Amino acid sequence: MQQATRMNDQDKRHGLTALLPYIVAAVIARGADAGAGVGLVLLASSNQQLAHPQLTGALLAAALTAPHVLGPLTARLLDRANDQRRVLAAASLLYGLFVLLTACTVGQIPLFVSIVFAACAGLCGPLLTGGLSSVLSGLVQGDEQQQRRAESWDALTYGISGTLGPAAVAVIATMFSPLLALILLSVSVLVAVVLILWLPLQRRDPHTKESAVSSEQGVFHILLHTGPLRRAIIVMMAAAFPGGAISVIAVAFASAQLGNSAGGGWLVAAFGLGNLAGSLLLTLFPLRGEPERNMLLYTALVAVAFGICALAAQTYVALLLALAVAGAANAPFFAATLGVRSNYAPDHVRGQVFTGMAGFKIASSSAGTALAGVLTGFGAPLLLLAGGIVVGVAYGYALLDRKRSK
């Protein structure tokens, strides 16, 4: 009994020791993933040799983002690997390399080649997001509270990287050049590579790897037929849809209220800072209880938060505060979805489940951004209200689906 207790304590210390390099690696790798698109748009817009700089930037950013939906295909390598660290490190290294190739070739060679380089980087992107998250539970061998706290730290890395990555690129691009910003971003990924390889090797059950190779059920079949995962996809996509629209809505609202679009950046920053604050609070007070129940609870909170934003979209300051609240509400929601994935993803397709769901989320966010650009004439209150309704409908569906599945 005492020996088992000592082994348990050792496992906990081992997991907590491994968590710090994971957090740093995740922030750097995901910061590169978040900042590269901004950098490519800035690079194209500043290139005088391009006939259509804005279109070029949009095409490069789309080429970088679109392949994320193919995450389950690249994640097969992760699920079948003896040493998952090597797959994740290789993905990080290739991501940095292809971003560097893209940056150095824009305007110098035919555009379609640069787009191919950007798409190759995009294929590696899902392994830096969902792929990394899929190995987190193996690093923390403690009780449920330790797992939830680790997931809260993971959620925090998404918030930090999503804020600091684009901000760092923008600052360096403004002070020096977009090309230098992208070069430094690519080089920074080398730090993530070293830290990923430094993580402890996770011993995997040989039967798990065999199942990953021989399974006849594809990951999409598993996602659709595993109730908690299916419901998680629905609510994640629903929340990501208005989340992706916030940047467009914020710029249009600031232009109408203040007479310039610069104030839109502060509105977006308020949402991001709210999310960071909520994620940091979760590392101190991790979620308790069954992850799916938490996910549904915070789905409802996200829907209400967007409704509050719609009501607040009468004055600039009110919307600024409301978006900070909405960002804070998104933090426990996202952490709860990580818990659902961790609890219900089958071991033999774990990486594919994480990356697949991340890909669906990114696709929905992109669709929200695009649709908001078309519908900006309807005004911020109506668009934010519509976003809250989308999340509310998804919440209602998830409740009915959960009840029907029992």
Side-chain angles (χ1 to χ4, degrees), residues 58-121:
L59 290 173
L60 290 171
L64 186 69
T65 304
H68 280 67
V69 299
L70 301 177
L73 298 180
T74 55
R76 289 180 182 178
L77 298 172
L78 188 63
D79 287 328
R80 298 175 181 182
N82 290 318
D83 188 347
Q84 294 178 311
R85 300 173 305 177
R86 294 182 180 181
V87 176
L88 294 171
S92 301
L93 184 63
L94 288 173
Y95 187 91
L97 175 62
F98 281 117
V99 168
L100 183 62
L101 287 172
T102 306
C104 292
T105 58
V106 172
Q108 307 299 319
I109 61 175
L111 178 59
F112 79 90
V113 179
S114 298
I115 289 176
V116 170
F117 287 149
C120 289

Side-chain angles (χ1 to χ4, degrees), residues 223-224 228-238 357 360:
L223 288 174
L224 291 176
L229 295 178
R230 179 177 63 249
R231 292 184 283 274
I233 290 174
I234 296 298
V235 298
M236 283 175 65
M237 291 182 67
M357 294 177 73
F360 282 124

Side-chain angles (χ1 to χ4, degrees), residues 304-331:
V304 171
F306 276 111
I308 293 173
C309 288
L311 294 174
Q314 307 300 322
T315 66
Y316 182 85
V317 173
L319 183 57
L320 185 79
L321 296 174
L323 283 172
V325 172
N330 268 267

Side-chain angles (χ1 to χ4, degrees), residues 332-355:
F333 166 75
F334 182 65
T337 66
L338 287 174
V340 171
R341 282 179 270 182
S342 181
N343 274 27
Y344 295 101
D347 287 339
H348 65 285
V349 290
R350 189 175 186 82
Q352 296 171 67
V353 166
F354 272 77
T355 56

